[in-house]
Every structure is written in structure tokens, then in C-alpha cells.
């Protein structure tokens, strides 16, 4: 449901601002995540399990998506709205002939805000050439962590779920190296996302009387900070001011 | 305009498949050497068959060395007539349980803890079954 709200929000922003913007960009790649509190929390959860489950990846580098709707000024400065999505997680499992036990955390951060990009270097021109620019975002993120445990045997089944959520300001700074074609630019984008680490609020467990609790014993902070890198494609919708002047 | 929305829609649909998931499993092999001797004693004894003219009090006692009984089910033919969690119990068997007079098998299935230390065993959801049977001959037919 929250994804639908986000989609509607981005759609409204796009629709209302379409006539004013020069283009939009999509960056798909991966990000690393600090998430130190959630790692500690996962360790605490694993220690509560009735069996010695094996802990697999701890919030590894995973999907990161950034969409930018921008307007370009005559100086090459680009400013506009940005939407970003990041996800990662962790997983522990125990399996024997009688059944299996899974313990998962799945973190997703939906981020919306404003962006600014400034050209540092341009070889050729914006219709055909190579450019290097710096960018910065200020975003507000809705970070949701879905914690779930499932015990599945032939005659016993238990499923428990707990949602943690936080609204956290974030900022990303980075560089873009782009090759410009006529209406499309493409290249690499990379930077560092700083999360201001707001505290998660904890929901209720879905199971009435679970065999072990998923509730955290203390405060947990979001901690999505990390490096981001991805492949970027820019679609220029309307002529830029520099094109109009020419 | 239409293209933008198409792109955004595709991105959102695509992003849902990007959520983190890890299907890795840690498989543990469990070998259980728990094999207790189980015995069921009843007042029907070792007779080849028991005739029932009116009704019969069936008494039984289950013994499992170093074991724990979950429950025992009693069937006449395929009909479950009684479930008990007690090691010793009794039940009146009468012709109401059958529709046609004749020979029937009284079966007892005793479910006891496996002690295998598996995941299911920990949640008391794994059992070993011991079964034993007697032959009953019903003479009376009482309409229901």
C-alpha cells in the first residue's frame, strides 16, 4: 500500500512539474549500508532461537534506485526533485529433515527530496560530449524494516512478523561522469548517502503468542548510510535553455 | 507525458522484485537412536476375537520406557471412537458404533514423542506411532 502512495506522490510531482522540467534521469545500481543497530538486533534475534541457526549475509550491498526530475539553467546547473529507493536485508536459517526455521529482516527506504547538480567539466557540448558533474540531494526517507520468522514443520507452523519504521532525513553527495548524445546522456553516478539515523518506531507482532519474541530490547536507529554507485541514463524531454538561446 | 508515466510505472513494478531475499539454507543432519520398547496391555488379552452382545468395557494400559505419550486413538474399522492422552484409560464399546453386525477390527494407534531433537520434536510436533489391534465380533444391531 505504501508503494502505491509513493507512486502516486511521484506521479503527482511529475504531472504537476512536467511542463517546467527539462528532463529526468534514472540511476540503477547498488548501495552499501551501515545498519549497525540492525546487525546487533539480528544477532540478538538469532540468540533467541531455539536452535543454532546459521546467519547468512548481513545487510549486503543491494539494490539502489534514484530517479531525478530536473530543470537545467543556462549555466548548466540542474535542480529538481529526486526519488530514491534502497533495499537490503539479512537472513538466518535452520533446516533439518522435520522442517525449517527462517528469520529474515528486509529493509526498504523510500526517499523523496530535492536535488542539485553542478557541471565541473565539459568536453564538447551537451548534445555530443563528455561531462563530469557533482550532485547533491536532500531527502526525507521512510525507512521500513520488516522482520519475520517462520517455523514450518509437518504438524506445526508458526509465522510472526514485526514492522519497524522511521522517518529519517538523508543527504547524498556524489559525482556523475556522463557521455552526452542528442536527447540522451548516459554514464556512471556514485556518491555517499548520509543518514541522520532517526529512531525506529516498533509495531506489534502479528503472532499472539510466538515461541520467541521479535521485539527489540532497546532503541534501534535507521543507519542507511553508505556508498552508492549505478548506471545513469538521462532523458531530455524539452530543449534546454542553452538550446533555446542557440 | 505518456512515456514518463510508463517509465515510472515500469520502475515501480520492477522495484518490488528488487526487495532483498535470500533463500540460503543451513541443513543439519539429525540421527536419532531413540527406540523404546512399547507395550499395550488390555482386558481383551490375547483372545483371537471378542464377541459383543450388548456392550463391552475396554480397558488398556500403555507402557513406553523412557517415553512420553502424546495421545492414543481408538478405531473400530475406520471410525475414530476415542482419543485419550492418558497412559491408561477405559471406554465402553457398544453396537452403536457399527451399522452391520459382523467382525470388526479395534485398532489402537499410540503417538509418542520421538525425542529426535529435531525442530518438529522441539515443538512437540513429531511423534512415533505404535499400533496394535483386536478383533471384535458384534452380534447385536441397534438402529440409530
Amino acid at each position: 500500500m505504501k508503494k502505491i502512495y509513493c507512486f502516486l506522490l511521484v506521479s503527482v510531482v511529475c504531472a504537476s512539474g512536467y511542463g517546467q522540467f527539462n528532463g529526468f534521469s534514472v540511476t540503477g545500481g547498488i548501495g552499501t549500508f551501515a545498519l549497525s543497530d540492525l546487525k546487533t538486533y539480528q544477532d540478538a534475534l538469532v540468540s533467541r532461537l531455539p536452535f543454532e541457526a546459521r546467519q547468512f549475509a548481513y545487510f549486503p550491498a543491494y539494490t539502489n534506485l534514484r530517479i531525478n526530475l530536473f530543470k537545467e539553467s543556462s549555466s548548466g546547473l540542474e535542480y529538481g526533485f529526486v526519488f530514491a529507493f534502497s533495499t537490503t536485508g539479512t537472513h538466518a536459517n535452520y533446516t533439518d529433515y522435520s522442517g525449517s526455521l527462517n528469520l529474515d529482516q528486509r529493509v526498504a527506504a523510500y526517499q523523496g527530496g530535492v536535488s542539485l547538480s553542478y557541471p565541473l567539466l565539459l568536453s564538447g557540448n551537451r548534445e555530443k560530449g563528455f561531462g563530469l558533474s557533482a550532485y547533491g540531494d536532500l531527502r526525507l526517507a521512510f525507512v521500513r524494516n520488516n522482520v519475520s520468522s517462520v517455523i514450518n514443520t509437518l504438524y506445526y507452523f508458526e509465522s510472526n512478523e514485526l514492522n519497524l519504521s522511521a522517518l529519517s532525513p538523508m543527504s547524498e553527495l556524489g559525482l556523475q561522469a556522463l557521455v552526452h548524445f542528442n536527447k540522451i546522456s548516459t554514464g556512471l553516478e556514485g556518491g555517499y548517502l548520509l543518514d541522520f539515523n532517526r529512531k525506529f518506531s516498533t509495531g506489534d507482532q502479528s503472532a499472539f503468542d510466538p515461541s520467541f519474541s521479535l521485539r527489540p530490547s532497546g532503541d534501534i536507529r535507521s543507519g542507511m548510510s553508505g556508498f552508492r554507485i549505478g548506471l545513469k541514463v538521462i532523458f531530455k524531454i524539452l530543449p534546454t535553455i542553452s538550446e533555446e538561446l542557440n | 507525458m505518456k512515456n514518463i508515466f510508463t517509465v515510472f510505472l515500469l520502475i515501480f513494478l520492477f522495484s518490488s522484485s528488487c526487495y532483498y531475499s535470500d533463500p540460503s539454507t543451513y541443513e543439519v543432519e539429525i540421527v536419532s537412536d531413540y527406540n523404546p520398547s512399547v507395550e499395550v496391555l488390555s482386558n481383551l488379552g490375547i483372545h483371537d476375537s471378542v464377541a459383543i452382545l450388548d456392550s463391552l468395557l475396554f480397558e488398556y494400559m500403555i507402557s513406553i520406557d523412557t517415553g512420553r505419550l502424546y495421545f492414543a486413538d481408538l478405531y473400530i474399522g475406520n471410525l475414530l471412537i476415542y482419543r485419550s492422552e492418558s497412559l491408561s484409560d477405559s471406554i465402553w464399546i457398544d453396537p452403536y458404533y457399527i451399522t452391520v453386525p459382523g467382525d470388526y477390527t479395534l485398532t489402537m494407534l499410540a503417538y509418542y514423542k520421538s525425542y529426535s531433537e529435531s525442530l518438529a520434536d522441539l515443538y512437540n510436533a513429531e511423534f512415533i506411532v505404535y499400533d496394535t489391534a483386536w478383533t471384535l465380533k458384534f452380534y447385536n444391531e441397534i438402529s440409530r
Side-chain angles (χ1 to χ4, degrees):
Chain A
M1 197 62 177
K2 279 164 187 147
K3 273 189 72 183
I4 295 170
Y5 288 143
C6 289
F7 174 68
L8 289 174
L9 182 68
V10 172
S11 302
V12 167
V13 169
C14 294
S16 62
Y18 172 72
Q20 302 165 28
F21 290 100
N22 296 132
F24 73 97
S25 68
V26 178
T27 307
I30 60 170
T32 62
F33 305 92
L35 294 172
S36 55
D37 279 11
L38 289 183
K39 286 174 184 169
T40 309
Y41 171 49
Q42 177 73 4
D43 287 339
L45 289 178
V46 169
S47 70
R48 292 176 196 171
L49 299 179
F51 283 91
E52 280 191 26
R54 178 171 290 176
Q55 175 63 51
F56 292 94
Y58 268 114
F59 304 102
Y62 214 72
T63 304
N64 187 65
L65 192 71
R66 180 175 178 267
I67 302 167
N68 184 205
L69 193 62
F70 62 87
K71 182 174 174 64
E72 185 184 333
S73 72
S74 56
S75 61
L77 186 78
E78 291 174 356
Y79 53 94
F81 294 108
V82 66
F83 171 81
F85 169 78
S86 315
T87 181
T88 184
T90 184
H91 171 70
N93 172 269
Y94 172 91
T95 301
D96 65 24
Y97 69 86
S98 71
S100 64
L101 184 156
N102 286 305
L103 175 68
D104 292 280
Q105 285 192 62
R106 190 188 286 175
V107 186
Y110 305 89
Q111 307 140 55
V114 291
S115 70
L116 194 68
S117 166
Y118 188 76
L120 300 174
L121 177 76
L122 181 62
S123 167
N125 58 45
R126 292 192 154 269
E127 280 68 53
K128 196 171 186 180
F130 170 81
L132 184 71
S133 55
Y135 73 94
D137 296 344
L138 278 176
R139 307 174 193 161
L140 184 64
F142 173 71
V143 187
R144 193 187 62 170
N145 182 22
N146 176 261
V147 191
S148 67
S149 68
V150 176
I151 300 165
N152 193 5
T153 71
L154 186 59
Y155 294 105
Y156 182 83
F157 179 80
E158 181 185 308
S159 173
N160 192 12
E161 218 175 74
L162 177 74
N163 283 316
L164 310 173
S165 55
L167 271 178
S168 184
M170 295 180 180
S171 175
E172 183 174 330
L173 291 171
L175 292 171
Q176 304 164 346
L178 297 169
V179 180
H180 301 290
F181 300 101
N182 188 23
K183 294 289 179 189
I184 288 179
S185 302
T186 184
L188 284 175
E189 178 183 274
Y192 186 81
L193 178 85
L194 179 69
D195 182 354
F196 291 92
N197 290 356
R198 288 293 182 263
K199 201 166 68 177
F200 276 115
S201 61
T202 309
D204 292 326
Q205 295 185 95
S206 63
F208 175 67
D209 185 23
S211 55
F212 60 93
S213 173
L214 296 177
R215 296 193 75 82
S217 51
D219 288 344
I220 298 177
R221 293 184 176 274
S222 52
M224 296 291 285
S225 298
F227 291 96
R228 305 285 184 267
I229 188 160
L231 187 67
K232 178 169 188 162
V233 182
I234 298 177
F235 302 93
K236 292 169 189 167
I237 307 163
L238 296 174
T240 61
I241 293 172
S242 55
E243 278 176 339
E244 285 173 348
L245 288 174
N246 290 337
Chain B
M1 187 67 175
K2 192 178 171 183
N3 291 339
I4 293 179
F5 281 110
T6 306
V7 170
F8 275 113
L9 186 62
L10 287 173
I11 288 167
F12 269 84
L13 291 174
F14 176 69
S15 70
S16 66
S17 65
C18 293
Y19 282 118
Y20 180 81
S21 75
D22 184 352
S24 306
T25 57
Y26 169 52
E27 294 194 15
V28 177
E29 191 176 343
I30 290 176
V31 180
S32 172
D33 56 0
Y34 178 68
N35 189 22
S37 66
V38 182
E39 196 178 10
V40 176
L41 299 172
S42 80
N43 61 342
L44 301 186
I46 55 168
H47 302 295
D48 287 341
S49 66
V50 177
I52 299 178
L53 291 170
D54 187 7
S55 60
L56 171 73
L57 179 66
F58 172 65
E59 295 174 298
Y60 67 87
M61 189 174 74
I62 303 166
S63 64
I64 309 166
D65 64 338
T66 64
R68 175 185 157 193
L69 178 79
Y70 285 136
F71 57 88
D73 283 346
L74 270 176
Y75 292 86
I76 290 180
N78 293 323
L79 177 69
L80 175 68
I81 60 166
Y82 192 61
R83 170 170 287 181
S84 173
E85 294 177 2
S86 173
L87 280 167
S88 64
D89 209 338
S90 61
I91 176 182
W92 283 97
I93 297 172
D94 58 47
Y96 281 111
Y97 291 124
I98 57 116
T99 52
V100 180
D103 290 342
Y104 288 85
T105 303
L106 175 69
T107 308
M108 172 181 281
L109 299 180
Y111 299 84
Y112 58 98
K113 188 172 173 64
S114 70
Y115 287 107
S116 65
E117 299 184 338
S118 69
L119 183 68
D121 180 50
L122 180 85
Y123 288 99
N124 294 328
E126 184 179 68
F127 40 75
I128 304 174
V129 184
Y130 177 83
D131 69 304
T132 185
W134 301 265
T135 303
L136 301 178
K137 193 173 186 68
F138 287 89
Y139 284 103
N140 271 3
E141 182 185 1
I142 299 174
S143 55
R144 290 163 188 259

